[in-house]
Amino acid sequence: MTAVRGPSARRVTGERRPLPPVFWLLFAGTLLNRLGILVPAFLSLFLAAETGLSTGAIGVLVGLWGAGSVVGALAGGALADRVGPRAAVLVSQAVSLAASVCLVCTQRAGVLAGVVLLSGCASTLHKPAGAVVVSRELPEGVHVRAFGLLYWASNIGAAVSPAVSGVLLGWDPHWLIVLNMVTAVCYGAVALRLPGLAGDAAEEARPARSPGPGLLAPFRSGPVARFLVLSFCLALIYLQKQSTLPLDMAAHGLAPHVYGLVASLNGLLIIVLQPFVSRAAERLGMDTQFVLAGLLVAVGFGANAVAGSAWSYGTALTVWTLGEILLVPQASAFLVRHAPPGRAGSYQGAYQFVWNLGLVVGAPLGMAVRDGYGGDTLWAGCLALGAAVVAVYAAYAVRDRARAKTARGGADPSAPGGGAGRGRPGQSEAEAEDSADSRGT
């Protein structure tokens, strides 16, 4: 679990603490960024309207945007640890602003390839900085709630953005770029009030000065590497919503607009339920949250095997959306608590990397399974993979807890304020050794 320092050093209690102003600045910036980001769907529409490129060329450019987003998350983690969250967000928004200007100024495919790659990179480059702010400025007991609220802000922006972007596209495609530029400037202005890299934070970041070890450290950490692999497996399941799910619904005779309505339920449920689910989940341990989230994702996607109507698909979607609501905040909190001092950004970037990689790998893999063996086999495979993820995680959690109890004379490290032995609060003996190894890398 994470090293607690400054305001985070207070013990976890049942008290529901108010979140500090710096968090709400981050919340506002996350909302602004998600509102104005030029997502692949509207990027392709803009390129089609303004460049005259072929459909195939536009498809390649959109693929480059996705590749940039995968790399950006990993690089953004190392950047946030090295220069601090304020500078990391400013760099990301400057890159986004520059890419937006270049999109308007060129129609050459070669130049556009580099510009789109940078735009995709900027879309995720800033995200790990939020984990650094939360880890340094907020008490450990509110981390899950804070990450839940950030995820809520992102989904509010994601819900509003398509409607706004659609209207602007109807007026003039260039208004899409204007929206992206305006929100980048506004987020940059908000970032000026975020914490930088100074004092204790700068001292803690010194081990992360070498980019290579900083990027690879999460994958060398035993518990974190396992968590990343299991999260990647869940991403393979979850991201079928963007590839095989619409095809499966079409195969059952449902029109595209029906898929659109069902898919929109995902965002609506997150907006309505996220604050309540996150608050209720505070009573659960981190291991319990992950197990429950994995089960809901597995069962929700597995239920598509018996779905055939809009209502049944919507019911299945409701189940896996509840899993998503539980999974995302606790995953971020897990990584913050396991990160050595000065590495919170790198660990969060690693998670974003494997999650985005799940789409890159999951989409063609799901298509291949569906085309070769049918939709029912695909959804049964999702159920089986999800169940396996939960079983492996639960087995390791039970083992680590037993080791921690033995090492600490029976104290339960999962209890609030527990784990008074060596290492960080709430950290098992194995995790303490692992963190020490990570700090040495």
Side-chain angles (χ1 to χ4, degrees), residues 43 47 60-66 68 99 103 111-121:
L43 173 63
L47 293 172
V60 171
L61 291 176
V62 171
L64 286 173
W65 190 96
L103 276 175
V111 177
L112 282 172
V115 170
V116 168
L117 187 68
L118 282 176
S119 179
C121 182

PDB file of all heavy atoms in Angstrom, residues 43 47 60-66 68 99 103 111-121:
ATOM      1  N   LEU A  43     -12.853  12.843 -34.720  1.00  0.00           N
ATOM      2  CA  LEU A  43     -11.619  13.076 -35.469  1.00  0.00           C
ATOM      3  C   LEU A  43     -11.762  12.553 -36.889  1.00  0.00           C
ATOM      4  O   LEU A  43     -11.377  13.225 -37.858  1.00  0.00           O
ATOM      5  CB  LEU A  43     -10.443  12.392 -34.777  1.00  0.00           C
ATOM      6  CG  LEU A  43      -9.111  12.408 -35.534  1.00  0.00           C
ATOM      7  CD1 LEU A  43      -8.609  13.838 -35.716  1.00  0.00           C
ATOM      8  CD2 LEU A  43      -8.066  11.569 -34.802  1.00  0.00           C
ATOM      9  N   LEU A  47     -11.554  14.784 -40.301  1.00  0.00           N
ATOM     10  CA  LEU A  47     -10.605  14.483 -41.373  1.00  0.00           C
ATOM     11  C   LEU A  47     -11.322  14.241 -42.695  1.00  0.00           C
ATOM     12  O   LEU A  47     -10.850  14.667 -43.759  1.00  0.00           O
ATOM     13  CB  LEU A  47      -9.771  13.262 -40.993  1.00  0.00           C
ATOM     14  CG  LEU A  47      -8.802  13.448 -39.815  1.00  0.00           C
ATOM     15  CD1 LEU A  47      -8.192  12.115 -39.408  1.00  0.00           C
ATOM     16  CD2 LEU A  47      -7.709  14.454 -40.174  1.00  0.00           C
ATOM     17  N   VAL A  60      -6.257   4.609 -40.847  1.00  0.00           N
ATOM     18  CA  VAL A  60      -4.883   4.504 -40.358  1.00  0.00           C
ATOM     19  C   VAL A  60      -4.589   5.634 -39.384  1.00  0.00           C
ATOM     20  O   VAL A  60      -3.969   5.429 -38.328  1.00  0.00           O
ATOM     21  CB  VAL A  60      -3.883   4.528 -41.529  1.00  0.00           C
ATOM     22  CG1 VAL A  60      -2.453   4.648 -41.023  1.00  0.00           C
ATOM     23  CG2 VAL A  60      -4.032   3.273 -42.376  1.00  0.00           C
ATOM     24  N   LEU A  61      -5.037   6.844 -39.700  1.00  0.00           N
ATOM     25  CA  LEU A  61      -4.796   7.993 -38.823  1.00  0.00           C
ATOM     26  C   LEU A  61      -5.494   7.818 -37.474  1.00  0.00           C
ATOM     27  O   LEU A  61      -4.918   8.130 -36.427  1.00  0.00           O
ATOM     28  CB  LEU A  61      -5.266   9.278 -39.499  1.00  0.00           C
ATOM     29  CG  LEU A  61      -4.449   9.751 -40.708  1.00  0.00           C
ATOM     30  CD1 LEU A  61      -5.085  10.976 -41.344  1.00  0.00           C
ATOM     31  CD2 LEU A  61      -3.012  10.052 -40.294  1.00  0.00           C
ATOM     32  N   VAL A  62      -6.722   7.309 -37.511  1.00  0.00           N
ATOM     33  CA  VAL A  62      -7.439   7.072 -36.246  1.00  0.00           C
ATOM     34  C   VAL A  62      -6.713   6.000 -35.428  1.00  0.00           C
ATOM     35  O   VAL A  62      -6.619   6.089 -34.201  1.00  0.00           O
ATOM     36  CB  VAL A  62      -8.899   6.668 -36.513  1.00  0.00           C
ATOM     37  CG1 VAL A  62      -9.587   6.219 -35.223  1.00  0.00           C
ATOM     38  CG2 VAL A  62      -9.662   7.833 -37.129  1.00  0.00           C
ATOM     39  N   GLY A  63      -6.162   4.998 -36.119  1.00  0.00           N
ATOM     40  CA  GLY A  63      -5.371   3.990 -35.429  1.00  0.00           C
ATOM     41  C   GLY A  63      -4.133   4.590 -34.779  1.00  0.00           C
ATOM     42  O   GLY A  63      -3.744   4.203 -33.671  1.00  0.00           O
ATOM     43  N   LEU A  64      -3.515   5.562 -35.456  1.00  0.00           N
ATOM     44  CA  LEU A  64      -2.355   6.244 -34.877  1.00  0.00           C
ATOM     45  C   LEU A  64      -2.752   7.049 -33.645  1.00  0.00           C
ATOM     46  O   LEU A  64      -1.989   7.147 -32.687  1.00  0.00           O
ATOM     47  CB  LEU A  64      -1.710   7.165 -35.921  1.00  0.00           C
ATOM     48  CG  LEU A  64      -0.906   6.476 -37.018  1.00  0.00           C
ATOM     49  CD1 LEU A  64      -0.476   7.488 -38.079  1.00  0.00           C
ATOM     50  CD2 LEU A  64       0.323   5.781 -36.426  1.00  0.00           C
ATOM     51  N   TRP A  65      -3.935   7.634 -33.669  1.00  0.00           N
ATOM     52  CA  TRP A  65      -4.428   8.345 -32.488  1.00  0.00           C
ATOM     53  C   TRP A  65      -4.518   7.373 -31.299  1.00  0.00           C
ATOM     54  O   TRP A  65      -4.100   7.697 -30.187  1.00  0.00           O
ATOM     55  CB  TRP A  65      -5.802   8.939 -32.768  1.00  0.00           C
ATOM     56  CG  TRP A  65      -6.316   9.892 -31.718  1.00  0.00           C
ATOM     57  CD1 TRP A  65      -6.228  11.244 -31.736  1.00  0.00           C
ATOM     58  CD2 TRP A  65      -7.004   9.549 -30.503  1.00  0.00           C
ATOM     59  NE1 TRP A  65      -6.813  11.779 -30.603  1.00  0.00           N
ATOM     60  CE2 TRP A  65      -7.295  10.765 -29.829  1.00  0.00           C
ATOM     61  CE3 TRP A  65      -7.402   8.353 -29.922  1.00  0.00           C
ATOM     62  CZ2 TRP A  65      -7.965  10.805 -28.616  1.00  0.00           C
ATOM     63  CZ3 TRP A  65      -8.059   8.385 -28.695  1.00  0.00           C
ATOM     64  CH2 TRP A  65      -8.343   9.595 -28.060  1.00  0.00           C
ATOM     65  N   GLY A  66      -5.052   6.172 -31.555  1.00  0.00           N
ATOM     66  CA  GLY A  66      -5.138   5.178 -30.493  1.00  0.00           C
ATOM     67  C   GLY A  66      -3.771   4.759 -29.988  1.00  0.00           C
ATOM     68  O   GLY A  66      -3.568   4.599 -28.781  1.00  0.00           O
ATOM     69  N   GLY A  68      -1.095   6.575 -30.023  1.00  0.00           N
ATOM     70  CA  GLY A  68      -0.594   7.699 -29.233  1.00  0.00           C
ATOM     71  C   GLY A  68      -1.174   7.714 -27.837  1.00  0.00           C
ATOM     72  O   GLY A  68      -0.469   8.016 -26.864  1.00  0.00           O
ATOM     73  N   ALA A  99      -1.166  20.413 -31.452  1.00  0.00           N
ATOM     74  CA  ALA A  99      -1.715  19.444 -32.398  1.00  0.00           C
ATOM     75  C   ALA A  99      -2.992  19.970 -33.049  1.00  0.00           C
ATOM     76  O   ALA A  99      -3.226  19.773 -34.250  1.00  0.00           O
ATOM     77  CB  ALA A  99      -1.991  18.124 -31.689  1.00  0.00           C
ATOM     78  N   LEU A 103      -3.637  20.564 -37.049  1.00  0.00           N
ATOM     79  CA  LEU A 103      -4.721  19.894 -37.770  1.00  0.00           C
ATOM     80  C   LEU A 103      -5.424  20.837 -38.736  1.00  0.00           C
ATOM     81  O   LEU A 103      -5.871  20.435 -39.811  1.00  0.00           O
ATOM     82  CB  LEU A 103      -5.743  19.323 -36.776  1.00  0.00           C
ATOM     83  CG  LEU A 103      -5.445  17.956 -36.164  1.00  0.00           C
ATOM     84  CD1 LEU A 103      -6.492  17.617 -35.109  1.00  0.00           C
ATOM     85  CD2 LEU A 103      -5.416  16.871 -37.237  1.00  0.00           C
ATOM     86  N   VAL A 111       2.286  14.544 -42.619  1.00  0.00           N
ATOM     87  CA  VAL A 111       2.309  15.472 -41.484  1.00  0.00           C
ATOM     88  C   VAL A 111       1.159  15.166 -40.533  1.00  0.00           C
ATOM     89  O   VAL A 111       1.320  15.184 -39.306  1.00  0.00           O
ATOM     90  CB  VAL A 111       2.231  16.926 -41.974  1.00  0.00           C
ATOM     91  CG1 VAL A 111       2.187  17.892 -40.795  1.00  0.00           C
ATOM     92  CG2 VAL A 111       3.405  17.244 -42.885  1.00  0.00           C
ATOM     93  N   LEU A 112      -0.007  14.876 -41.099  1.00  0.00           N
ATOM     94  CA  LEU A 112      -1.165  14.563 -40.268  1.00  0.00           C
ATOM     95  C   LEU A 112      -0.919  13.341 -39.393  1.00  0.00           C
ATOM     96  O   LEU A 112      -1.421  13.268 -38.271  1.00  0.00           O
ATOM     97  CB  LEU A 112      -2.395  14.335 -41.150  1.00  0.00           C
ATOM     98  CG  LEU A 112      -3.083  15.580 -41.704  1.00  0.00           C
ATOM     99  CD1 LEU A 112      -4.158  15.196 -42.702  1.00  0.00           C
ATOM    100  CD2 LEU A 112      -3.691  16.410 -40.569  1.00  0.00           C
ATOM    101  N   ALA A 113      -0.150  12.384 -39.911  1.00  0.00           N
ATOM    102  CA  ALA A 113       0.141  11.182 -39.126  1.00  0.00           C
ATOM    103  C   ALA A 113       0.842  11.556 -37.823  1.00  0.00           C
ATOM    104  O   ALA A 113       0.471  11.093 -36.742  1.00  0.00           O
ATOM    105  CB  ALA A 113       0.995  10.218 -39.939  1.00  0.00           C
ATOM    106  N   GLY A 114       1.859  12.411 -37.920  1.00  0.00           N
ATOM    107  CA  GLY A 114       2.563  12.841 -36.719  1.00  0.00           C
ATOM    108  C   GLY A 114       1.687  13.673 -35.803  1.00  0.00           C
ATOM    109  O   GLY A 114       1.735  13.534 -34.574  1.00  0.00           O
ATOM    110  N   VAL A 115       0.857  14.537 -36.391  1.00  0.00           N
ATOM    111  CA  VAL A 115      -0.017  15.405 -35.607  1.00  0.00           C
ATOM    112  C   VAL A 115      -1.058  14.586 -34.843  1.00  0.00           C
ATOM    113  O   VAL A 115      -1.304  14.807 -33.649  1.00  0.00           O
ATOM    114  CB  VAL A 115      -0.711  16.428 -36.526  1.00  0.00           C
ATOM    115  CG1 VAL A 115      -1.800  17.176 -35.769  1.00  0.00           C
ATOM    116  CG2 VAL A 115       0.304  17.400 -37.093  1.00  0.00           C
ATOM    117  N   VAL A 116      -1.659  13.619 -35.533  1.00  0.00           N
ATOM    118  CA  VAL A 116      -2.684  12.789 -34.898  1.00  0.00           C
ATOM    119  C   VAL A 116      -2.073  11.925 -33.803  1.00  0.00           C
ATOM    120  O   VAL A 116      -2.675  11.719 -32.745  1.00  0.00           O
ATOM    121  CB  VAL A 116      -3.390  11.924 -35.963  1.00  0.00           C
ATOM    122  CG1 VAL A 116      -4.240  10.855 -35.310  1.00  0.00           C
ATOM    123  CG2 VAL A 116      -4.247  12.803 -36.872  1.00  0.00           C
ATOM    124  N   LEU A 117      -0.864  11.433 -34.034  1.00  0.00           N
ATOM    125  CA  LEU A 117      -0.171  10.654 -33.011  1.00  0.00           C
ATOM    126  C   LEU A 117       0.043  11.499 -31.751  1.00  0.00           C
ATOM    127  O   LEU A 117      -0.184  11.044 -30.621  1.00  0.00           O
ATOM    128  CB  LEU A 117       1.162  10.161 -33.547  1.00  0.00           C
ATOM    129  CG  LEU A 117       1.954   9.187 -32.662  1.00  0.00           C
ATOM    130  CD1 LEU A 117       1.230   7.852 -32.554  1.00  0.00           C
ATOM    131  CD2 LEU A 117       3.359   8.982 -33.220  1.00  0.00           C
ATOM    132  N   LEU A 118       0.455  12.754 -31.930  1.00  0.00           N
ATOM    133  CA  LEU A 118       0.650  13.656 -30.795  1.00  0.00           C
ATOM    134  C   LEU A 118      -0.674  13.978 -30.111  1.00  0.00           C
ATOM    135  O   LEU A 118      -0.739  14.072 -28.885  1.00  0.00           O
ATOM    136  CB  LEU A 118       1.313  14.956 -31.268  1.00  0.00           C
ATOM    137  CG  LEU A 118       2.815  14.905 -31.523  1.00  0.00           C
ATOM    138  CD1 LEU A 118       3.292  16.239 -32.081  1.00  0.00           C
ATOM    139  CD2 LEU A 118       3.574  14.568 -30.250  1.00  0.00           C
ATOM    140  N   SER A 119      -1.727  14.127 -30.898  1.00  0.00           N
ATOM    141  CA  SER A 119      -3.036  14.414 -30.323  1.00  0.00           C
ATOM    142  C   SER A 119      -3.505  13.269 -29.442  1.00  0.00           C
ATOM    143  O   SER A 119      -4.030  13.475 -28.334  1.00  0.00           O
ATOM    144  CB  SER A 119      -4.050  14.670 -31.447  1.00  0.00           C
ATOM    145  OG  SER A 119      -5.333  14.923 -30.916  1.00  0.00           O
ATOM    146  N   GLY A 120      -3.314  12.042 -29.918  1.00  0.00           N
ATOM    147  CA  GLY A 120      -3.677  10.886 -29.104  1.00  0.00           C
ATOM    148  C   GLY A 120      -2.841  10.806 -27.842  1.00  0.00           C
ATOM    149  O   GLY A 120      -3.348  10.491 -26.764  1.00  0.00           O
ATOM    150  N   CYS A 121      -1.560  11.104 -27.970  1.00  0.00           N
ATOM    151  CA  CYS A 121      -0.663  11.097 -26.813  1.00  0.00           C
ATOM    152  C   CYS A 121      -1.120  12.126 -25.777  1.00  0.00           C
ATOM    153  O   CYS A 121      -1.169  11.844 -24.576  1.00  0.00           O
ATOM    154  CB  CYS A 121       0.757  11.385 -27.276  1.00  0.00           C
ATOM    155  SG  CYS A 121       1.990  11.345 -25.965  1.00  0.00           S
TER     156      CYS A 121
END
